[in-house]
Amino acid sequence: MAILVTGGAGYIGSHTCIELLNAGYEIIILDNFYNSKRESLNRIKELSGKDFKFYECDIRDRKGLDNIFENEKIEAVIHFAGLKAVGESCRKPLEYYDNNIGGTVTLCQAMRDHGVKKIVFSSSATVYGMNNISPLREDMQTGGTTNPYGTTKYMIEIILQDLYKADNEWSIALLRYFNPIGAHKSGRIGEDPNGIPNNLMPYISQVAIGKLPCLNIFGNDYDTPDGTGVRDYIHVVDLALGHVKAVEKVMGCKELNIYNLGTGTGYSVLDIVNAFKKASGVDVPYKIAPRRDGDIATCYSDPSKALKELGWKAERGLEEMCEDTWRWQKNNPDGYPDD
Ligand code: NAD
Ligand code: UD1
């Protein structure tokens, strides 16, 4: 029996596939390469020393999904596939609702019709909206999202909760990621954003490597210790290991559970810049720019539920996150080679 990993060629998916293979799981990857390259699959094989099946397929393609479920013995699905750029989602809301929500509904219908009722879903801290006070706990109210991307995550959580209410043969884990950064120790896989990065860490590493001239820090007048935004950065390998625990959980119960995957510690933008400079030995020029729409001052998790119920805890600190990001960036200045 295998785990189907949708979006397994992407940033978090590729790291998770390695940890699943290391833990002895058989995996099948599905991806349409909208935001990833085939080379990441070669590197998953190289780093794990293991082989796996791959289907080039879109999660909105019901026939393509049926073909996979008919031909493979799938026990559970880890569902990463989706679009994730906040700014783009404001310009193309229909594409985001279609891909993320339409795709998830089609995937779940195919799963149900083939008797596969175990799913781990990639949600986000963005579902906590603007009004909760950190540390954020899973039982806090969600909603009030500020962009279509965030709204798709919020709506998918509701859809999966309704699905569980209607049929409690399902086993569902909603994982709310905080801010994943870092890369595999080898420097062979990492985050490979398209165009100019939106998120802080890939932007910093492209400034450090000389591809971008200067970091814009979006606001230094927040109510935080140094005035810049505070977030809960988590090493992507810790996040990947959280999925191994979550998949064990869904395979052993028929419940819907929600878990924060974060470290519980907040760092400011300036903390990250300084840690990155130290880890890389390279300067990161920056200037203070206006606040970015939709940003909040502080967002960090209470990760204690995942520790209690999954036995999972993030182990890697900020220094390691920066060193590993830098190794990936230095060794792959232009990301993965084109297919
Ligand atoms: P990513 O873009 O690197 O990976 C997503 C993968 O899904 C890509 O390989 C892409 O080609 C694939 N994909 C997209 N639409 C598809 C479709 N219709 N059919 C098949 N494949 C499709 O993103 P990531 O950072 O690895 O994020 C993975 C998941 O985690 C996403 O759902 C994202 O929203 C969520 N998430 C990410 C973050 C983050 O900061 N990276 C934070 C919270 C939640
Ligand atoms: C953003 C998204 C969130 C998404 C997450 C992961 C917004 C409002 N939120 O979270 O929905 O789940 O990415 O994809 O976009 N910063 C700078 N300069 C930059 C980039 C960022 O100062 O060039 C600051 C931001 O203001 C913030 C911090 O760095 O304080 C982290 O930003 P980012 O990496 O974009 O993550 P989030 O805003 O937490």
Side-chain angles (χ1 to χ4, degrees):
M1 294 291 266
I3 313 287
L4 176 67
V5 185
T6 76
Y11 171 48
I12 304 170
S14 56
H15 288 84
T16 301
C17 286
I18 290 177
E19 298 310 327
L20 288 166
L21 290 164
N22 288 346
Y25 286 99
E26 187 189 335
I27 63 165
I28 294 164
I29 299 183
L30 170 167
D31 206 296
N32 68 354
F33 297 119
Y34 178 83
N35 195 37
S36 52
K37 303 263 175 66
R38 274 167 215 280
E39 177 61 17
S40 75
L41 302 179
N42 298 334
R43 296 194 185 180
I44 297 170
K45 285 185 193 160
E46 169 197 311
L47 294 172
S48 65
K50 297 197 176 135
D51 207 356
F52 51 83
K53 280 203 180 165
F54 170 72
Y55 287 84
E56 185 166 352
C57 178
D58 193 300
I59 50 166
R60 292 163 296 178
D61 170 6
R62 178 61 202 260
K63 285 207 177 99
L65 293 176
D66 284 339
N67 175 48
I68 301 174
F69 283 106
E70 276 156 21
N71 287 298
E72 306 293 347
K73 288 199 169 62
I74 293 167
E75 191 171 2
V77 175
I78 305 184
H79 177 31
F80 293 106
L83 307 182
K84 63 162 185 177
V86 171
E88 184 185 57
S89 78
C90 298
R91 293 190 300 276
K92 300 181 177 175
L94 294 178
E95 278 71 12
Y96 272 68
Y97 289 119
D98 176 42
N99 198 78
N100 292 6
I101 298 181
T104 301
V105 170
T106 303
L107 174 69
C108 289
Q109 285 171 330
M111 289 174 67
R112 177 198 59 199
D113 294 348
H114 294 280
V116 180
K117 294 188 173 179
K118 298 177 189 309
I119 186 167
V120 175
F121 173 64
S122 298
S123 188
S124 166
T126 196
V127 301
Y128 289 110
M130 308 281 284
N131 298 323
N132 289 304
I133 309 262
S134 292
L136 299 165
R137 287 188 326 271
E138 293 85 345
D139 58 2
M140 285 175 165
Q141 197 176 358
T142 54
T145 44
T146 55
N147 55 77
Y149 163 73
T151 305
T152 67
K153 294 294 176 191
Y154 170 67
M155 287 168 76
I156 294 167
E157 285 203 357
I158 295 195
I159 291 168
L160 293 176
Q161 285 168 347
D162 285 343
L163 178 59
Y164 182 74
K165 275 184 219 147
D167 176 3
N168 50 30
E169 287 294 305
W170 279 82
S171 180
I172 300 175
L174 307 179
L175 303 183
R176 294 180 180 158
Y177 311 159
F178 281 70
N179 291 57
I181 60 172
H184 191 266
K185 246 319 140 242
S186 62
R188 295 286 289 159
I189 61 168
E191 186 168 14
D192 180 13
N194 260 333
I196 296 178
N198 301 299
N199 298 119
L200 180 65
M201 192 50 126
Y203 204 106
I204 290 179
S205 60
Q206 293 203 7
V207 171
I209 200 95
K211 292 178 81 172
L212 293 168
C214 170
L215 170 71
N216 294 304
I217 295 186
F218 299 139
N220 67 349
D221 56 353
Y222 284 107
D223 184 14
T224 61
D226 64 21
T228 66
V230 167
R231 297 290 183 275
D232 184 342
Y233 297 92
I234 173 171
H235 196 297
V236 66
V237 173
D238 278 325
L239 192 65
L241 290 166
H243 289 75
V244 177
K245 295 290 190 183
V247 92
E248 277 166 18
K249 177 78 180 177
V250 296
M251 292 210 282
C253 71
K254 289 180 179 170
E255 296 169 7
L256 181 142
N257 290 295
I258 305 178
Y259 298 108
N260 286 337
L261 296 185
T263 65
T265 301
Y267 288 108
S268 74
V269 178
L270 286 170
D271 289 334
I272 302 295
V273 170
N274 290 329
F276 195 90
K277 280 189 194 172
K278 191 160 171 248
S280 66
V282 172
D283 191 26
V284 179
Y286 65 81
K287 62 174 189 279
I288 305 299
R291 290 182 179 195
R292 180 173 69 178
D293 276 355
D295 270 356
I296 53 175
T298 301
C299 171
Y300 61 91
S301 65
D302 175 344
S304 56
K305 188 175 175 213
L307 177 60
K308 192 163 159 237
E309 296 186 15
L310 299 177
W312 172 89
K313 182 169 172 280
E315 307 280 356
R316 291 158 182 79
L318 183 56
E319 199 180 326
E320 196 171 347
M321 299 183 213
C322 292
E323 284 168 2
D324 294 343
T325 303
W326 181 233
R327 190 177 305 104
W328 155 255
Q329 180 72 67
K330 242 186 346 188
N331 294 351
N332 307 268
D334 298 315
Y336 292 113
D338 283 332
D339 298 328

